[in-house]
C-alpha cells in the first residue's frame, strides 16, 4: 500500500568532485544548502501532520 503522505527524503549531498572550485555564481554547495533548507521545512511540516511517526529521540 502506498503512503499518501510519505516522509520527505533528504537531498543527496554533492560529492567533492561536483564542485569545480572556480567560484561559480551558483555553486553546487549553494544549491544543496537551498535543498536542505527546503527539506527541513517539509520535514517539520510532515512531523506536525504525523506526530505519531516521529523517530524516537
Amino acid at each position: 500500500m502506498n503512503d499518501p503522505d510519505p516522509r520527505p527524503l533528504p537531498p543527496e549531498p554533492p560529492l567533492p568532485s561536483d564542485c569545480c572550485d572556480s567560484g561559480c555564481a551558483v555553486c553546487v554547495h549553494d544549491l544543496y544548502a537551498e535543498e536542505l533548507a527546503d527539506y527541513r521545512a517539509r520535514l517539520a511540516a510532515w512531523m506536525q501532520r504525523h506526530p505519531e511517526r516521529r523517530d524516537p529521540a
Side-chain angles (χ1 to χ4, degrees), residues 10-14 32 35:
E12 290 286 327
Y32 176 67
E35 291 173 359

Side-chain angles (χ1 to χ4, degrees), residues 8-49:
L9 297 175
E12 290 286 327
L15 298 173
S17 61
D18 290 342
C19 178
C20 65
D21 288 321
S22 64
C24 298
V26 180
C27 178
V28 293
H29 295 290
D30 298 327
L31 296 174
Y32 176 67
E34 290 175 10
E35 291 173 359
L36 193 56
D38 178 64
Y39 160 73
R40 288 177 176 154
R42 289 184 294 109
L43 180 60
W46 182 88
M47 291 175 79
Q48 287 288 327
R49 293 190 306 273

